[in-house]
Amino acid sequence: MTERVYLDWNATAPLRPQAAAALSEALSLAGNPSSVHAEGRAARSAVETAREEVAALVKARSGDVTFTASGTEANMLALTPAIETLSEKRPRDRLLISAVEHSSVRAGGRFPRGAIGDIAVDAAGRVDLAALADALAKTERPLVSIMLANNETGVLQPVAEAAALVHAAGGLLHVDAVQAAGRVPIDIGALGADLITLSAHKIGGAKGVGALIRAREDIHFADPLIRGGGQERGLRAGTENVAGIAAFGAAAAAARGQFVEEAAHMLALRQELEAGLLAVAPDTVIFGAGVERLPNTTLFGRPGMKADTAIIAFDLEGVALSSGAACSSGKVQPSHVLAAMGIDAGLARGALRASLGWNSQKADIAAFLGAWRKVASALSKDSKERSGMAA
Ligand code: PLP
């Protein structure tokens, strides 16, 4: 069997060795973290150590981290009218979300459908700050949700500027930083976010663990996500996933410690990948290329290319890619992100995403480009045949 080349890190990242070690060690902890005996205290200590590491990744305080069962669940916890601060105890009247959010934010959490408004993005996929200001002027107590980095294009949002507008309008800002974590530095205070969502498996932890992190102690949820035994400050009941949380902490520590080298490594490889894409087929479009993006993500398309057949062709060559959001792959629909950017539906339907990670190698890029040569030449042959038939 040919060696596989995994270029789908935005769908999920392989487990980091540090996370695998923490996971297996924590699996042998017998106690329940809520128990007061020594076994329980050992499990509690694993959870609290991880809470500190996850908090440190975004420069937050560990007491402000709530563990959940996924990034999706953290978004669900965050997006509720029932967020209170010391100065504002009335429910939030409206949720404003950017048009390029992940489906777990687009679904609107616990807001009624009619209370959700969209904020447009520009042609590069960045939130239109004038449109945000307009929408804010029409609401009294808004909750706004804007992602830090887009999962399909990697485009970074002007979150600090948006935060200033949101706060001036008396609103609160939730930031889905699931794709940004470990790839760009995150400082919850400097960003101006009131709440941040993270997901363990995107930074090399295990799948099925997430976190919602608040910026300040005075942010409260009057409406827990899961009622029961009162775990996670009463917000998300259920015995904690101790091993998954321990692995999340270890992955966060590794990502923080190696951030500078990893980001530079991914960027150099991505530049090579993009130069190669264009050298083989100069009509390739790299979406969001002109603006700041994550160092690991390339979303690209070519006139006439079909994502479903191209993904299979890459897969047969041993290369794992994705068409836009992995969560919706399997159903080939033009991406809502590219539609919001005003990209032609035909070009959007063919978009493919290559996403790299700390462990990606130069040889992976060479294998990818070898496969791309075949895919691109089959596509050119097809379109020549089609235009020949039409003539
Ligand atoms: N937010 C973004 C931007 C994502 O890319 C994803 C997953 O792809 C999620 C949230 C959901 O995270 P999880 O898979 O942990 O539910």
Side-chain angles (χ1 to χ4, degrees):
M1 191 174 150
T2 47
E3 220 173 289
R4 298 285 303 171
V5 172
Y6 185 73
L7 298 181
D8 201 10
W9 289 64
N10 287 12
T12 193
L15 204 60
R16 289 183 187 257
Q18 300 89 334
L23 184 77
S24 91
E25 201 179 310
L27 278 174
S28 65
L29 292 170
N32 183 320
S34 296
S35 301
V36 292
H37 45 59
E39 289 81 356
R41 292 198 306 276
R44 170 60 54 203
S45 157
V47 169
E48 297 313 318
T49 303
R51 205 184 299 280
E52 279 165 25
E53 296 296 1
V54 170
L57 187 61
V58 299
K59 296 196 163 49
R61 294 173 335 135
S62 64
D64 291 325
V65 174
T66 302
F67 286 119
T68 62
S70 60
T72 297
E73 194 184 283
N75 285 341
M76 188 75 185
L77 173 61
L79 303 183
T80 173
I83 303 186
E84 295 180 349
T85 62
L86 281 183
S87 58
E88 183 54 88
K89 298 221 180 290
R90 287 172 302 167
R92 300 277 138 194
D93 59 347
R94 202 157 169 75
L95 173 66
L96 300 174
I97 53 180
S98 92
V100 295
E101 295 300 310
H102 184 263
S103 51
S104 57
V105 168
R106 301 275 314 147
R110 293 177 281 167
F111 274 84
R113 269 271 141 232
I116 304 171
D118 253 356
I119 309 296
V121 295
D122 63 18
R126 280 177 315 182
V127 166
D128 178 341
L129 292 173
L132 174 62
D134 275 357
L136 287 170
K138 295 181 192 124
T139 58
E140 249 181 76
R141 293 177 304 284
L143 173 64
V144 178
S145 186
I146 297 177
M147 66 203 327
L148 186 48
N150 185 262
N151 44 304
E152 298 186 28
T153 58
V155 166
L156 297 173
Q157 295 294 350
V159 169
E161 291 90 324
L165 293 173
V166 171
H167 293 150
L172 289 175
L173 178 66
H174 165 253
V175 173
D176 177 342
V178 163
Q179 294 290 347
R183 296 172 181 155
V184 292
I186 304 177
D187 176 332
I188 193 167
L191 212 50
D194 298 293
L195 293 160
I196 282 190
T197 290
L198 299 180
S199 172
H201 72 106
K202 309 287 185 178
I203 63 165
K207 296 163 191 62
V209 190
L212 184 67
I213 304 166
R214 62 180 180 178
R216 303 179 304 284
E217 238 177 21
D218 83 314
I219 299 172
H220 287 282
F221 290 89
D223 182 17
L225 186 62
I226 302 178
R227 293 191 173 83
Q231 289 91 344
E232 295 300 298
R233 284 187 286 110
L235 295 178
R236 200 272 172 198
T239 301
E240 296 87 342
N241 173 359
V242 176
I245 289 171
F248 191 6
R256 188 163 62 96
Q258 294 154 31
F259 165 73
V260 175
E261 300 79 11
E262 289 184 2
H265 172 71
M266 291 187 284
L267 183 61
L269 291 180
R270 193 197 73 188
Q271 282 166 342
E272 196 176 323
L273 182 150
E274 293 187 353
L277 273 176
L278 293 165
V280 171
D283 59 350
T284 304
V285 179
I286 295 170
F287 300 106
V291 296
E292 258 195 291
R293 276 180 296 153
L294 292 176
N296 79 317
T297 307
T298 301
L299 183 71
F300 64 98
R302 228 193 129 193
M305 187 159 86
K306 294 209 167 45
D308 47 355
T309 45
I311 283 185
I312 294 167
F314 272 104
D315 194 37
L316 292 173
E317 293 293 321
V319 181
L321 296 182
S322 165
S323 63
C327 307
S328 62
S329 60
K331 321 174 230 161
V332 181
Q333 290 166 338
S335 122
H336 70 282
V337 174
L338 293 179
M341 290 162 65
I343 306 294
D344 164 77
L347 186 61
R349 236 189 295 273
L352 293 183
R353 180 184 68 191
S355 50
L356 316 175
W358 60 272
N359 197 19
S360 298
Q361 308 290 325
K362 256 177 118 52
D364 297 341
I365 308 302
F368 167 85
L369 291 174
W372 174 235
R373 266 178 223 106
K374 292 189 190 170
V375 170
S377 89
L379 181 64
S380 305
K381 202 165 133 232
D382 260 16
S383 66
K384 265 196 208 118
E385 277 170 12
R386 266 200 307 275
S387 58
M389 278 190 317

